Amino acid sequence: MTDQPYQGYDGYDGYDPYRQQPAPQGWPQQQPYDDPQAAQPYTQQWQGQTWETQVQPPVAPPAEETAYMPSQGAGAAYGGYQEPGWGGTQAPAHAQTPAPAQAPAQTPPTDGSEPGYGPATVAGNARITDAQRARLEGRSPIIEPGVQPAGLTALLGLLLAGAAAIGPYALVVPLVALQAVTAAGWFRLNGMWPARQGIALAFAGALTADVALLASGRTPAAILGTLGVWVLLALVLQLRSHADPDERMYGLMATVASAALAIVASGYLASHGDAVTVGAASVAVAVLVRALPLPTPASVAASLLAAAGAGALAGALTGLGSAGALLGAGAAVCALIGHRAASYDYPSRFVHFTAGVALPLAAAAPAVYLLGRALV
């Protein structure tokens, strides 16, 4: 027995005072970050709980501790965190960008002049409607369709007059076109576009009225029956809608009015052929004269006189005689009402080429039927 440690045994190196000893329990061995000795095989590998040596972003303190501190510099990247007691960190010069100066709110002048608005157009405005702008500037919110829609109305009216002279089945072709344009134009005139369901419903009602008229021998009761059924159908469809109550009521009124106008246009098919020829020709002449660049009272008077003259001429050709003048004047009055409705509230060019074309002829259909039955 000796006091010397055992040496020379395999697997045991003995005591070495210069050998690195393991760190005490609870204290991890501190290693430099880039020390190549850290990867040696005799380095102690600590398996217990250690102190975190990786750089972690600081945890933001409670809001009440930093509520009074403005966010500056690098602290803004971590949610506005700043070290308590150090007064915060200063941000670099390039990070501090002043807020852009806001332009002062522009208020419209009170003297009635609107320098921010230009002349009224039919193209519309993103901020306010053209009708509102016209009212603010003290002008009338009315733009008439013009010469081109009037020419299309006259062409469609002449087609109706010529087809009525041939027979009722020939009259169906231009009548269906008139009803389709009427249904689409009324919805667009009311600012509802696209409204495919309402347009399709109104046009389907018009086709149903045409079929019912031809099947019943052109009795006017078919028009009234179809109109009642379609009003009830539009009411049921709007009650099933999930829109707001105001929107549902607005859609119901637009659908009922569009269907009514398209169905009432079937009155041409229920009227006498000579009455349709005289009335459609008179409407064509009245709309053309109304589109001339004349003052409104003079234009209205001239269009009525021209319609009466065209009705008298067409009546002489069809056998109605002088009664054609009265029929032409009555149809022209209703046509001018439809023309005025298509001119209201600064409509777009699409409205002019749909409602502006169809409404004069559709509105004249009841007058053609009633006056035709009374005079023929």
Side-chain angles (χ1 to χ4, degrees):
M1 299 294 293
T2 62
D3 296 332
Q4 298 296 329
Y6 291 95
Q7 298 180 2
Y9 292 95
D10 294 337
Y12 181 76
D13 295 336
Y15 175 75
D16 187 359
Y18 297 99
R19 182 179 180 181
Q20 186 178 6
Q21 298 298 325
Q25 183 70 21
W27 292 93
Q29 183 177 359
Q30 301 295 332
Q31 296 290 343
Y33 289 105
D34 299 328
D35 189 5
Q37 301 296 330
Q40 293 182 358
Y42 298 101
T43 302
Q44 175 71 22
Q45 300 295 330
W46 189 259
Q47 300 296 332
Q49 183 176 4
T50 62
W51 295 95
E52 182 62 50
T53 59
Q54 299 293 331
V55 178
Q56 297 292 339
V59 181
E64 60 270 9
E65 296 183 9
T66 59
Y68 64 92
M69 298 181 183
S71 299
Q72 296 180 355
Y78 296 102
Y81 171 76
Q82 295 178 351
E83 290 291 341
W86 289 89
T89 59
Q90 293 293 334
H94 65 274
Q96 297 179 356
T97 57
Q102 297 181 355
Q106 297 181 359
T107 57
T110 57
D111 56 354
S113 62
E114 296 286 343
Y117 303 124
T121 62
V122 298
N125 191 289
R127 295 176 298 173
I128 61 174
T129 62
D130 288 335
Q132 293 172 344
R133 179 173 60 185
R135 293 188 181 98
L136 290 175
E137 295 176 357
R139 296 182 287 106
S140 174
I142 299 295
I143 288 184
E144 297 178 356
V147 178
Q148 293 180 351
L152 293 177
T153 302
L155 177 61
L156 187 56
L158 293 178
L159 289 177
L160 287 172
I166 298 175
Y169 290 96
L171 181 60
V172 171
V173 177
L175 179 60
V176 169
L178 171 63
Q179 291 168 335
V181 178
T182 301
W186 184 260
F187 273 94
R188 187 64 185 93
L189 182 62
N190 285 268
M192 303 179 67
W193 187 265
R196 299 181 182 89
Q197 181 180 0
I199 294 174
L201 181 63
F203 184 59
L207 294 180
T208 303
D210 296 341
V211 173
L213 282 171
L214 293 176
S216 63
R218 299 194 297 171
T219 58
I223 298 178
L224 298 178
T226 305
L227 185 59
V229 171
W230 246 252
V231 169
L232 181 61
L233 182 60
L235 179 61
V236 171
L237 291 178
Q238 289 299 324
L239 289 178
R240 293 172 56 87
S241 175
H242 298 286
D244 296 334
D246 294 339
E247 295 181 359
R248 282 187 293 177
M249 180 59 66
Y250 190 68
L252 174 63
M253 298 305 296
T255 304
V256 170
S258 178
L261 287 171
I263 293 173
V264 165
S266 301
Y268 287 111
L269 193 59
S271 304
H272 193 274
D274 293 342
V276 175
T277 300
V278 173
S282 301
V283 170
V285 173
V287 173
L288 283 177
V289 175
R290 183 68 179 86
L292 297 178
L294 297 175
T296 300
S299 178
V300 172
S303 63
L304 291 177
L305 291 176
L313 180 60
L317 296 176
T318 57
L320 286 178
S322 59
L326 179 60
L327 192 153
V333 169
C334 295
L336 292 181
I337 294 175
H339 182 272
R340 176 73 174 186
S343 308
Y344 181 69
D345 204 16
Y346 271 77
S348 64
R349 289 179 59 86
F350 189 87
V351 175
H352 285 160
F353 282 92
T354 52
V357 172
L359 283 185
L361 288 168
V368 170
Y369 173 77
L370 295 176
L371 293 176
R373 286 180 60 89
L375 299 176
V376 176

